[in-house]
């Protein structure tokens, strides 16, 4: 499924009941998991194991577009 999030969007700590992969298409997305913070850019992908605490936010003034796959 494709999602778009505008500048200023913030997702505080949360979990998902299923494992998922996110692939960034546009924008920059700051992502924190396992105590490590990265900034994802177009072409980057991350796997989030189920029940893993993580958070994310849009960085800058460009809308983030990404594809989310779950299993």
């Amino acid at each position: 499924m494709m999602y778009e999030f505008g500048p200023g969007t913030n997702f505080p700590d949360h979990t998902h009941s299923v494992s998922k992969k996110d692939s960034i298409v546009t924008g920059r997305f700051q992502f924190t998991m396992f105590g490590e913070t990265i900034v994802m850019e177009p072409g980057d992908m991350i796997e989030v194991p189920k029940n893993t605490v993580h958070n994310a936010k849009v960085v800058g003034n460009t809308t983030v577009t990404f594809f989310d796959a779950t299993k």
Side-chain angles (χ1 to χ4, degrees):
M1 180 164 279
M2 186 182 85
Y3 292 94
E4 291 186 334
F5 301 110
T9 301
N10 182 46
F11 298 95
D13 284 351
H14 65 283
T15 63
H16 301 279
S17 61
V18 295
S19 295
K20 56 184 264 175
K21 289 183 181 179
D22 293 337
S23 298
I24 304 300
V25 179
T26 65
R28 299 177 75 220
F29 207 40
Q30 180 177 300
F31 193 90
T32 302
M33 181 171 64
F34 301 127
E36 184 176 333
T37 300
I38 61 171
V39 175
M40 300 173 63
E41 298 183 336
D44 290 340
M45 182 184 74
I46 194 162
E47 185 169 351
V48 182
K50 69 179 180 179
N51 301 319
T52 300
V53 176
H54 60 285
N55 63 64
K57 67 179 179 179
V58 175
V59 176
N61 295 321
T62 302
T63 296
V64 167
T65 303
F66 74 84
F67 286 96
D68 171 15
T70 59
K71 45 174 166 169

